[in-house]
Amino acid sequence: MRLLLVEDDPALAEGIAEFLRGQGDEVEVEEDGMRADRLLQDNGYEFVLLDVGLPGLGGYELVRRIRKRGQRMPVIVITARDALDDRIYGLDLGADDYLVKPFELAELSARMRAVQRSEERRVGKECRSRW
C-alpha cells in the first residue's frame, strides 16, 4: 500500500516508516503540513497517517482539506492530544480513526487493517447496490 506519513518528529517518523516498510508498504514521510497538502493533491496515496501539531499547516486543517477535495483515502490521526474534545473534533472533520501517542506499532497496524476492512465493506456495498 502507498501511504503518506505526516509527522514532524524525525525519530518517530522513521520508526513508524521502517515498521510499515517491513510489512511491505511504500511509505513517504513529510514533516510539514503545507508540503503534505501539496503532495496529497499531486500523488495517489492510498492511506494517510497524520500528526496534528505540524509546522506550516496543522493536521486538523489538513484533514478538512483532504475531505473538502473529495479525497476518500483513509486517514488516521496520530497525536499526543488525548482530550475527548480533540478526538471528537478530528473524527468529525473526517478522520477514520484517532490514535493517541504513545502507541504500539502493532496497534497502529491493526487499526490500519480495521479501517481498510471498513472501506472495503463500504465500497463493496456500493458496488452491490448498483446491480
Side-chain angles (χ1 to χ4, degrees):
M1 171 175 42
R2 186 162 187 261
L3 65 94
L4 180 63
L5 169 60
V6 189
E7 169 61 60
D8 65 338
D9 179 329
L12 180 58
E14 186 51 39
I16 294 170
E18 184 177 313
F19 173 78
L20 294 172
R21 288 178 185 130
Q23 295 189 136
D25 294 315
E26 180 185 334
V27 182
E28 189 166 346
V29 178
E30 180 52 63
E31 63 183 29
D32 179 87
M34 288 299 291
R35 289 194 302 259
D37 192 36
R38 285 191 294 275
L39 285 172
L40 286 162
Q41 292 175 50
D42 299 333
N43 295 289
Y45 295 103
E46 299 169 89
F47 213 105
V48 180
L49 299 174
L50 176 63
D51 189 11
V52 171
L54 299 167
L57 181 70
Y60 290 137
E61 176 62 17
L62 192 49
V63 171
R64 190 190 66 73
R65 289 181 181 199
I66 288 167
R67 297 309 184 217
K68 185 175 180 181
R69 285 192 294 265
Q71 293 177 295
R72 296 173 60 178
M73 81 281 279
V75 175
I76 296 180
V77 170
I78 52 173
T79 182
R81 295 185 187 177
D82 63 351
L84 178 61
D85 288 345
D86 289 324
R87 295 189 311 254
I88 291 170
Y89 185 64
L91 293 166
D92 282 346
L93 282 173
D96 296 281
D97 200 356
Y98 193 105
L99 184 59
V100 176
K101 299 174 187 174
F103 55 83
E104 296 292 328
L105 292 171
E107 181 180 4
L108 172 63
S109 182
R111 287 174 179 260
M112 290 173 67
R113 289 190 305 272
V115 167
Q116 286 177 306
R117 283 192 307 271
S118 179
E119 178 68 9
E120 289 167 3
R121 283 191 298 271
R122 187 189 61 73
V123 170
K125 184 176 182 179
E126 285 178 7
C127 291
R128 283 191 302 272
S129 67
R130 292 183 193 157
W131 302 104

